[in-house]
Amino acid sequence: MSATATAPPAATPDGAAEAAAKPGSGRRPRWTGGRIAMLVAALVLVVAWLLPLAWAVATSLKPESETTKTPLEWIGSTITFDAYSSVWESGDLTRWMFNTFFVAGMTTLLTVAFSAMAAYGFARTEFRGRKVLYGLVLAGIMVPPQVLIAPLFAEMVQLRLVDTYWGVILPQVAVPAMVFILVKFFDGVPRELEEAAFCDGAGRWRVFLQIVLPLSRPVLAAVAIFTFISTWNNFLWPFLVTTDPANMTLPVGLVNVQSTYGVRYAQVMASLVIAGLPLLVVFALFQRQIVRGVAHTGLAGQ
């Protein structure tokens, strides 16, 4: 009885392409025209984003007399940190930084909590007037925030919340866009998981806290990061509702310092760098969560 050797199947072009595409195949992807074009476009966008930041940092390190010098030069005759020390000494930056972190942190926490509960109610519960109420929430997306400033300020005056942390925080907590994003995500969560939990005797709150929220970590992280960034950058509402320098946020305090001393470009750029540095740190630490959140929520197409 003789054993017959079976010849391996011949490699087809499709099989070779699959082998080349595998991470462990040892082959590098080919530099096609489309791949090169995408790389060039990405590099152009990176340069366009980094160029203003680099110019702000370079200007903040120049002597004030050379910031308006023509022709423009990237580097001054000397590198000095006088603009940073002037901004730091002329304002209470430590207090303003704490105020901004507290306001942004509390706003983010409350926005995520309330938006998640509201979105889960719209996505999973049936009650009278649900469609009408959800329609009103969606209509809130189309209303510019500036339209609501006057009634919100009058409300804060009536509640005696002007010049308080809660006066800055509470009007920023209701964000219809975040509710809409979370509703769309909760609609995609399999109902079978919740039905199995209900059969085991779990209540609605337990299902929400122990099943739905753990599955929603990417989108919740994205909502939290976007809310934190927008709250950190918010200038108009904190500017209107705070008059005491001890309660100002960082953008409002830095603008007051600039207006007190007139337009000094080195100090203006130093203020911008100081205000934007924490956001760069947040983005660097949570860029993976931001990308995952965009992929899960579909924000890339909006």
Side-chain angles (χ1 to χ4, degrees):
M1 186 172 180
S2 61
T4 58
T6 304
T12 61
D14 293 340
E18 287 184 8
K22 291 182 180 179
S25 62
R27 289 189 176 184
R28 296 181 179 179
R30 294 181 179 179
W31 289 98
T32 61
R35 187 183 296 271
I36 294 174
M38 291 177 60
L39 179 61
V40 171
L43 291 175
V44 170
L45 292 176
V46 169
V47 172
W49 184 80
L50 289 178
L51 194 61
L53 178 62
W55 179 255
V57 174
T59 304
S60 67
L61 297 176
K62 293 180 182 178
E64 186 63 44
S65 59
E66 298 183 13
T67 56
T68 56
K69 181 180 177 182
T70 55
L72 297 177
E73 296 180 354
W74 276 90
I75 301 176
S77 58
T78 58
I79 296 179
T80 175
F81 292 91
D82 291 342
Y84 291 92
S85 61
S86 298
V87 172
W88 194 274
E89 293 171 359
S90 25
D92 193 358
L93 259 68
T94 304
R95 180 70 180 182
W96 296 340
M97 191 79 72
F98 170 79
N99 293 343
T100 310
F101 269 113
F102 180 78
V103 169
M106 289 299 299
T107 302
T108 301
L109 180 63
L110 294 176
T111 300
V112 172
F114 291 143
S115 298
M117 289 188 288
Y120 185 71
F122 286 126
R124 286 295 191 267
T125 60
E126 296 291 339
F127 55 90
R128 182 176 299 178
R130 169 181 170 272
K131 293 183 179 180
V132 175
L133 187 58
Y134 186 53
L136 291 175
V137 172
L138 295 182
I141 301 177
M142 298 180 287
V143 178
Q146 293 79 5
V147 176
L148 304 176
I149 285 179
L152 280 177
F153 184 79
E155 186 177 359
M156 294 300 107
V157 172
Q158 292 295 326
L159 296 175
R160 298 182 180 179
L161 293 179
V162 176
D163 257 339
T164 64
Y165 287 136
W166 293 113
V168 181
I169 294 171
L170 292 179
Q172 302 184 77
V173 170
V175 186
M178 300 305 173
V179 177
F180 172 74
I181 290 172
L182 290 172
V183 167
K184 291 303 180 183
F185 183 86
F186 291 153
D187 284 339
V189 175
R191 293 178 180 267
E192 291 78 7
L193 297 175
E194 301 174 58
E195 293 172 357
F198 288 142
C199 292
D200 291 339
R204 179 68 69 180
W205 277 105
R206 185 176 179 183
V207 170
F208 174 66
L209 295 175
Q210 297 185 1
I211 296 178
V212 177
L213 288 186
L215 293 174
S216 309
R217 287 177 182 173
V219 65
L220 292 177
V223 169
I225 293 170
F226 295 148
T227 304
F228 184 88
I229 292 175
S230 63
T231 306
W232 183 280
N233 288 328
N234 193 0
F235 167 78
L236 184 58
W237 177 249
F239 175 74
L240 294 174
V241 82
T242 56
T243 56
D244 187 358
N247 296 325
M248 290 179 178
T249 57
L250 189 60
V252 179
L254 291 176
V255 167
N256 285 338
V257 169
Q258 295 170 17
S259 61
T260 302
Y261 290 89
V263 180
R264 298 185 179 181
Y265 292 102
Q267 292 187 17
V268 170
M269 295 301 179
S271 302
L272 295 177
V273 173
I274 293 173
L277 185 60
L279 293 183
L280 293 177
V281 174
V282 170
F283 182 81
L285 293 177
F286 299 102
Q287 58 178 328
R288 181 173 299 178
Q289 286 79 359
I290 294 176
V291 174
R292 289 178 60 190
V294 170
H296 278 79
T297 58
L299 290 177
Q302 296 183 6

